[in-house]
Amino acid sequence: MNSRLIIALDLPEADDALSLAQRLLPVTPWLKVGLELFTATGPGLVRNLLDLGARIFLDLKFHDIPNTVRRATAAAIRAGAEMCNVHLAGGEAMCRAAAESVAEARSLGRNCRLLGVTVLTSQSAAPGAKDLRGQILDYAGKAKAWGLDGVVCSGQEAAAVKAAVGREFICLCPGIRLPGGSVPLEDQQRILSPREAARNGADFLVVGRPVLQAADPAQTAGEILRQIEDAGK
Ligand code: C5P
């Protein structure tokens, strides 16, 4: 299944995450395990999700000294992540260290894509920054130069990132809200609908609360998937 939809399992407990995963996996294989769930449940839960047939984006947004990030990235890949990420704000040496871990794993036949977080979609501008889009494009260029496979950015910036850095460079976009949906923005600032994000060139869309808070999460995920597929027609 060549799905572009990733559902964020932003839940505190393994049992809830596993039962939701079972409902969602017929719709999309991609699940995101982030800080809350991984801190609570660790690699054991990732193994359980892999056993169910999931593909895992391990969204731990590493930001530490290069040696620590190199080793943490290797551990994420060993845990079974097919995608993982670092904060580009961590700088060149840190990002290159993570990319080296990914390259080493690839040479052993284990493929994981490494993405760089540009500016969180919960931020309308980084502190002190005037030109948010310029900052994101600058980060995207650096991410490519430093050996990363793509960036995490909002759907609002995906087209500009692709134009600046190349079509093959992955744009993974959170900050997705359904038009007319009942989920409030809460902490998200730079949002788009699934259709708009897909049209803008997002390779992957990450959706959390609009699915998690839906009366029928699998049905809502299916609706989002249809919007993404319609956008590609
Ligand atoms: O609930 P919602 O759809 O807003 O969730 C978005 C998900 O994407 C969250 O799990 C959040 O951690 C993640 N994310 C984000 N912005 C980034 C990177 C990841 O919102 N830049």
Side-chain angles (χ1 to χ4, degrees):
M1 207 189 318
N2 204 8
S3 171
R4 296 157 68 192
L5 175 63
I6 304 177
I7 307 297
L9 291 181
D10 291 334
L11 295 165
E13 305 220 4
D15 287 352
D16 292 342
L18 285 170
S19 65
L20 183 63
Q22 271 162 328
R23 293 165 71 188
L24 293 170
L25 284 170
V27 181
T28 181
W30 279 106
L31 300 173
K32 181 180 91 98
V33 176
L35 288 171
E36 180 187 15
L37 188 60
F38 194 78
T39 303
T41 64
L45 188 265
V46 172
R47 261 193 306 278
N48 292 335
L49 291 170
L50 291 169
D51 288 344
L52 292 176
R55 305 180 71 175
I56 300 295
F57 167 30
L58 198 53
D59 178 27
L60 302 179
K61 301 187 182 73
F62 296 137
H63 189 167
D64 207 316
I65 59 170
N67 184 54
T68 301
V69 169
R70 178 196 312 278
R71 297 175 67 95
T73 302
I77 299 168
R78 277 198 305 277
E82 263 189 85
M83 267 197 272
C84 63
N85 57 3
V86 294
H87 267 291
L88 291 164
E92 178 168 1
M94 188 204 82
C95 291
R96 284 192 188 275
E100 280 162 20
S101 268
V102 169
E104 200 177 309
R106 255 178 217 152
S107 73
L108 300 171
R110 191 165 253 224
N111 198 15
C112 179
R113 286 177 276 196
L114 178 65
L115 306 178
V117 177
T118 56
V119 176
L120 293 173
T121 47
S122 55
Q123 293 176 320
S124 43
K130 288 195 190 102
D131 172 15
L132 183 72
R133 181 162 292 222
Q135 193 186 8
I136 288 162
L137 294 180
D138 182 50
Y139 266 141
K142 285 177 172 157
K144 185 160 193 196
W146 297 342
L148 276 64
D149 302 296
V151 289
V152 182
C153 63
S154 107
Q156 296 181 9
E157 295 113 28
V161 167
K162 295 265 180 190
V165 189
R167 282 178 54 81
E168 299 309 310
F169 199 64
I170 297 169
C171 286
L172 178 144
C173 301
I176 305 296
R177 289 294 179 270
L178 283 164
S182 58
V183 177
L185 298 183
E186 297 182 55
D187 48 359
Q188 295 288 18
Q189 298 274 348
R190 305 191 330 273
I191 60 149
L192 276 189
S193 71
R195 191 174 277 119
E196 290 167 323
R199 282 212 177 119
N200 246 6
D203 297 285
F204 292 97
L205 283 71
V206 175
V207 185
R209 287 162 289 188
V211 166
L212 268 55
Q213 295 175 8
D216 185 337
Q219 191 195 18
T220 301
E223 172 55 29
I224 294 171
L225 197 62
R226 270 188 295 283
Q227 289 197 20
I228 296 170
E229 284 167 357
D230 279 356
K233 283 179 188 157

